[in-house]
Amino acid sequence: KGKFMNELLKLDNQLCFKIYASHRKITREYKPLLDKLNLTYPQYLVMLVLWEKSPITVKELGERLYLDSGTISPLIKTLETKGFIKKIRDKEDERIVYINLTSEGNSLKELAVSVPKMMTEKGLVNYEEYTILMKILNKLMS
């Protein structure tokens, strides 16, 4: 029983640690590519959502990224300062704020399209592994 408990409590046997450490490694791999776009990884995630759908409400954006308003607000503010997005208040309900891409934000999409390809070329996983990982991660998130 004691040996089994020791195995359960080993760091390398923790799924949460493996996901956390993998996330950190992947984020490090993205950094030089995103530096060229003047984006951090969290800002890149915001832009990915906006390139799919813009305008979008702050609430929808937070839900899409699994982020609360306290985390999403500074990202929005920084991207607005960089000129990639603009906030627009709903005319009928001022509590609703839309995020819209600027022309600069739209133009950035053309540069960003190379990022996934360059990440693939790093060879972290092959296509089959990628497909399996995506299925498992989607299951974890559901």
Side-chain angles (χ1 to χ4, degrees):
K1 183 179 177 179
K3 187 175 182 179
F4 177 70
M5 276 186 23
N6 286 341
E7 286 299 309
L8 279 177
L9 295 177
K10 282 188 176 178
L11 180 64
D12 286 336
N13 292 337
Q14 304 304 308
L15 176 65
C16 57
F17 173 69
K18 294 295 184 174
I19 292 171
Y20 171 76
S22 297
H23 162 73
R24 291 186 45 83
K25 179 178 176 27
I26 291 168
T27 302
R28 275 193 309 274
E29 295 291 330
Y30 268 98
K31 186 173 179 354
L33 306 176
L34 298 179
D35 283 349
K36 294 174 186 172
L37 302 176
N38 191 23
L39 293 173
T40 63
Y41 184 73
Q43 292 167 3
Y44 174 66
L45 297 179
V46 170
M47 295 303 290
L48 287 172
V49 172
L50 291 170
W51 290 325
E52 283 181 34
K53 180 184 179 188
S54 176
I56 189 172
T57 66
V58 172
K59 182 180 178 190
E60 288 175 293
L61 183 61
E63 287 171 355
R64 184 78 170 89
L65 293 171
Y66 297 86
L67 297 174
D68 60 38
S69 61
T71 305
I72 198 92
S73 293
L75 289 171
I76 291 169
K77 184 173 183 159
T78 303
L79 289 169
E80 190 175 29
T81 300
K82 290 180 179 188
F84 297 144
I85 64 171
K86 61 182 173 185
K87 292 190 291 190
I88 303 162
R89 289 210 177 269
D90 188 286
K91 288 183 169 104
E92 294 175 16
D93 186 347
E94 287 194 8
R95 295 172 296 176
I96 299 173
V97 178
Y98 288 92
I99 305 301
N100 204 356
L101 287 167
T102 62
S103 58
E104 281 184 62
N106 267 320
S107 298
L108 194 61
K109 183 179 183 179
E110 294 171 28
L111 297 171
V113 80
S114 66
V115 172
K117 183 180 183 295
M118 290 159 76
M119 282 300 293
T120 302
E121 290 170 356
K122 289 180 180 271
L124 298 174
V125 293
N126 64 36
Y127 181 75
E128 183 182 342
E129 293 165 331
Y130 171 87
T131 304
I132 292 166
L133 266 173
M134 287 299 282
K135 284 181 184 176
I136 293 168
L137 292 171
N138 284 332
K139 182 178 179 183
L140 284 173
M141 292 177 69
S142 64

